[in-house]
Amino acid sequence: MATQKFRTNAKCGGCSAKIGAALEQNGVPAGGWSLDLAAPEKWLTVDSELAPEAIVRIVTEAGFKAEEVR
């Protein structure tokens, strides 16, 4: 699995739960993602074979912004 990192606009635990549920509904295992709400960039780290564009789409459809960090 590839580890991918994204900058998000998530702000709270509720945001994290919505993003996590969306990722898990699209095949990312429960332990396959994390969201660092303490960091100013609100880093989302995902271990998945999904394309970065797919992860951005999933997060966007959940109501949040995501930008891949390369």
Side-chain angles (χ1 to χ4, degrees):
M1 297 213 165
T3 300
Q4 303 171 62
K5 197 168 193 175
F6 303 85
R7 186 177 297 115
T8 73
N9 66 337
K11 298 193 183 326
C12 65
C15 300
S16 180
K18 284 182 81 174
I19 291 170
L23 289 168
E24 291 169 17
Q25 288 174 352
N26 284 277
V28 176
W33 66 273
S34 65
L35 185 54
D36 183 358
L37 295 173
E41 297 83 1
K42 311 303 187 208
W43 296 121
L44 171 64
T45 304
V46 180
D47 292 320
S48 174
E49 294 302 324
L50 290 173
E53 298 81 16
I55 294 171
V56 169
R57 179 188 50 77
I58 292 164
V59 173
T60 300
E61 288 176 357
F64 303 93
K65 295 180 183 176
E67 176 186 347
E68 181 185 14
V69 178
R70 296 178 190 236

